[in-house]
Amino acid sequence: MTLALGPVLRHVAETTAVVWVQTEAPAEVEILGCSATTFEVDDCHYALVVVEGLTPDSVFQYEVHIDGVKAWPEPGSEFPPSVIRTRGPKTADRLKVIFGSCRYPKTGDPKIDDKLGLDALDCFATRLTAMPVEEWPDALLLLGDQVYADELTPEARRQLAGHRKSKRRPPDEVVTYTEYERLYRHTWGDPEIRWILSTLPTAMIFDDHDIRDDWNTSAPWRAEVNKKPWWRDRIHAGLGSYWVYQHLGNLSPAELAADDDYQKVLAIEGDCWPHLVELADRADYEVDGDKGLRFSFRWDLGRSRLVMVDSRNARILDSGDRKMLGDREFRWVEEQVADDLDSVDHLLIGSSLPWLLPPALGDIQIINEIAADRPGLRGTIAEKIRQAADLEHWPAFLQSFLRFSGMIEAAAQGSPATISVLSGDVHHSYAARALFRGTGETTVHQLVCSPVHNYVPAPVKPAFKFAWSARVARLTRRWAKRAGSPDLPMSWANLSGPQFGNTIASFEAKGRVAEVFFEQPEDNGELSTVAQVKLSG
């Protein structure tokens, strides 16, 4: 039996690792002497193998056996063996993570692929094959738009046309679980991507295109899209497949063991799709100002910590109390950030959407939110502008933006050397330094890497350069204050960028010294550094 997709190496700790696989049929999957039985979703089969008993600070080559037959590595593979590299006391004070967002797959159409340019993650995978394992990154962070459910490649559209039976569904967007399954296979099936996912611990969070462009922009947006006869099917398939393909692997073995939904799925004989429908509804609906499922998560990486924040599905809109996260989930995030900060040298906070935008653009989003909350024609026009211009980032959720900023300011009063917010989404890359009043020696940065592989429209470039202008920022700040914006607890300035084009970023720390590198593919496929920013030390 062969693997349909994977293996994907997910959460790795000192003595454990989680490996995700998709098989062609029900099976027993074994890795390094540990096994798991597949579960079924709509005639697709998956397993998370929890590998236990590993040694800290060690490297383990692994194979995947399905019903006793080796299925990975594939025969004749040109790639090095897949490995699990554990952390431990010897490496606790060192960290290297690569990150980025917005990775559109290769299309097979030369005109489109030439326009998209070289895939930065593909190029990084090629580099990795020639590097000693000891120099490989500790983790890969994918910060949104892992799949494009609403912008299909020509191949994906052809597949859709061949299977779509109902004209009540959109002709060029996926809707069903089966269609999402094909999309994940298409996007993660490239040999280079499949190999790098098999050998670097990978954390993921979604953004809008994993479901639909501008997903959860506002209450009017949700009200309008919910009128579409196929939208509930889309939510069920999109959130259900996200839970299977992306979310489960973010959890540690202990969290998986304590997760009621995962344990219910394992206990179901046969298709567990009905449970995923209920799960997706629970994740999507608002009850008492909160969502029924938390997708935010935490990884401990030696003396560094990653707290990944769901800034898409967690939004509270229907109640009229507009928030980026419900209060219960926000409290959870705050607790993870503040927990035992004396043991943390570098705090990484992941959010698919940037916390700090170019200042002028941030103020415009604040102005728009204030106007959209007002009744009458002014509010209607502001809502139309919000949806047309994609004004739905952290500053467009002002109370959440201020709470998020306050959380970071409080953490900066502690002992971390650096606090870095890692983001994507905006199709340009930059590093910005935030300055709070009286936060001691901790440095705070917004680090954005986007896209990994996508097209950057020409009008975007001058617009973002203009939005970083200090003179324009002073004008928009005065405008925002006149509109009713409070004073912000920090200022920020651009240290690098904006960089345009396909990019992969690396956060590297040793002791309390950290820096970030932004790299882009050259025509020969080699990556070259386009920016390097020292974050501390």
Side-chain angles (χ1 to χ4, degrees):
M1 184 187 295
T2 60
L3 285 171
L5 196 60
V8 183
L9 181 60
R10 302 302 309 273
H11 186 281
V12 175
E14 291 191 0
T15 62
T16 63
V18 176
V19 183
W20 178 98
V21 298
Q22 180 180 351
T23 62
E24 296 287 3
E28 187 81 8
V29 183
E30 185 266 325
I31 298 172
L32 293 176
C34 301
S35 63
T37 302
T38 57
F39 61 91
E40 179 184 347
V41 183
D42 198 19
D43 203 31
C44 302
H45 307 275
Y46 309 91
L48 274 82
V49 180
V50 175
V51 183
E52 299 177 301
L54 302 176
T55 306
D57 288 316
S58 300
V59 177
F60 300 85
Q61 292 186 15
Y62 74 90
E63 298 175 345
V64 179
H65 290 80
I66 302 177
D67 290 336
V69 179
K70 188 172 78 171
W72 184 270
E74 295 179 320
S77 173
E78 299 177 355
F79 295 95
S82 299
V83 304
I84 297 170
R85 187 159 62 102
T86 58
R87 299 187 60 83
K90 295 179 182 178
T91 53
D93 67 341
R94 298 196 297 274
L95 181 68
K96 179 179 180 180
V97 299
I98 60 172
F99 65 95
S101 80
C102 309
R103 182 186 167 269
Y104 197 75
K106 297 186 186 76
T107 70
D109 184 322
K111 291 183 179 179
I112 299 175
D113 287 340
D114 286 346
K115 185 178 180 180
L116 289 169
L118 293 175
D119 185 330
L121 190 57
D122 262 3
C123 295
F124 194 91
T126 301
R127 173 199 283 177
L128 208 63
T129 62
M131 291 173 59
V133 172
E134 293 73 18
E135 297 178 12
W136 288 4
D138 300 287
L140 165 63
L141 311 183
L142 300 179
L143 294 165
D145 296 343
Q146 274 69 263
V147 293
Y148 281 75
D150 57 338
E151 295 181 9
L152 303 181
T153 66
E155 177 186 342
R157 285 198 297 271
R158 285 193 295 271
Q159 289 183 350
L160 198 64
H163 293 85
R164 182 59 55 78
K165 297 178 181 179
S166 173
K167 294 183 179 180
R168 297 176 68 242
R169 291 173 172 170
D172 55 355
E173 299 183 35
V174 301
V175 173
T176 69
Y177 188 90
T178 299
E179 291 164 359
Y180 262 101
E181 187 269 344
R182 294 193 195 102
L183 185 61
Y184 274 101
R185 283 211 208 195
H186 180 48
T187 305
W188 290 1
D190 284 350
E192 296 87 354
I193 298 303
R194 196 171 175 185
W195 176 75
I196 197 172
L197 291 178
S198 78
T199 206
L200 290 186
T202 304
M204 308 179 189
I205 197 71
F206 46 21
D207 200 33
D208 53 345
H209 288 285
D210 296 72
I211 304 295
R212 198 178 201 231
D213 188 26
D214 301 336
W215 175 38
N216 284 345
T217 289
S218 62
W221 187 95
R222 276 177 63 93
E224 185 63 29
V225 79
N226 269 297
K227 295 177 183 177
K228 299 182 183 297
W230 48 267
W231 182 247
R232 291 319 302 169
D233 291 338
R234 175 67 155 275
I235 282 295
H236 295 157
L239 290 180
S241 62
Y242 174 80
W243 186 83
V244 171
Y245 282 84
Q246 299 194 50
H247 174 67
L248 282 177
N250 292 326
L251 305 181
S252 69
E255 289 169 324
L256 286 171
D259 189 280
D260 288 342
D261 288 308
Y262 181 58
Q263 295 306 315
K264 287 178 182 177
V265 162
L266 294 182
I268 292 172
E269 294 185 9
D271 190 359
C272 68
W273 172 242
H275 180 71
L276 290 192
V277 169
E278 185 274 330
L279 179 152
D281 282 335
R282 186 165 17 102
D284 181 56
Y285 290 137
E286 296 175 19
V287 178
D288 298 328
D290 275 296
K291 293 292 182 69
L293 203 65
R294 171 171 53 81
F295 290 123
S296 300
F297 62 93
R298 166 181 167 174
W299 280 17
D300 292 315
L301 302 162
R303 290 193 58 83
S304 297
R305 178 183 303 159
L306 167 69
V307 179
M308 192 78 86
V309 181
D310 168 16
S311 51
R312 273 293 172 187
N313 185 73
R315 296 179 180 191
I316 302 303
L317 302 165
D318 298 338
S319 67
D321 189 12
R322 182 176 167 84
K323 298 175 182 176
M324 189 67 86
L325 291 84
D327 288 337
R328 182 175 62 239
E329 185 158 348
F330 220 136
R331 284 193 298 272
W332 182 91
V333 170
E334 290 167 333
E335 289 168 0
Q336 307 314 305
V337 166
D339 180 38
D340 191 21
L341 276 179
D342 289 341
S343 67
V344 176
D345 289 332
H346 304 284
L347 176 61
L348 308 179
I349 303 173
S351 167
S352 64
L353 301 172
W355 162 52
L356 300 179
L357 292 164
L361 182 56
D363 276 327
I364 287 172
Q365 296 208 18
I366 292 172
I367 294 164
N368 176 265
E369 184 193 24
I370 293 170
D373 282 345
R374 293 180 178 172
L377 181 62
R378 184 175 181 180
T380 301
I381 293 173
E383 176 61 34
K384 291 183 180 297
I385 293 172
R386 170 157 59 195
Q387 294 190 31
D390 295 348
L391 305 182
E392 40 90 32
H393 296 76
W394 279 96
F397 292 74
L398 183 56
Q399 65 168 305
S400 297
F401 175 66
L402 295 174
R403 183 172 178 176
F404 194 75
S405 302
M407 176 187 72
I408 294 172
E409 182 178 21
Q413 305 286 345
S415 63
T418 68
I419 299 174
S420 300
V421 180
L422 311 181
S423 304
D425 179 68
V426 291
H427 285 214
H428 72 293
S429 302
Y430 59 91
R433 172 79 182 271
L435 296 173
F436 292 90
R437 293 178 288 276
T439 54
E441 297 181 0
T442 301
T443 61
V444 179
H445 294 86
Q446 169 72 75
L447 308 176
V448 174
C449 181
S450 169
V452 169
H453 185 231
N454 211 319
Y455 171 63
V456 181
V460 167
K461 300 177 181 181
F464 278 118
K465 290 179 180 178
F466 183 73
W468 277 111
S469 163
R471 181 179 180 183
V472 173
R474 288 192 293 271
L475 293 174
T476 56
R477 181 87 290 260
R478 287 199 290 269
W479 181 16
K481 291 182 72 173
R482 284 199 299 271
S485 169
D487 290 331
L488 303 181
M490 71 284 170
S491 60
W492 61 99
N494 191 10
L495 302 180
S496 174
Q499 307 288 346
F500 297 101
N502 295 332
T503 308
I504 197 77
S506 301
F507 175 96
E508 301 185 20
K510 185 174 183 179
R512 293 178 64 80
V513 177
E515 53 189 341
V516 65
F517 299 83
F518 296 91
E519 297 182 283
Q520 295 183 342
E522 297 180 343
D523 291 340
N524 62 2
E526 297 286 337
L527 289 167
S528 63
T529 301
V530 294
Q532 177 181 353
V533 178
K534 197 169 185 179
L535 304 176
S536 68

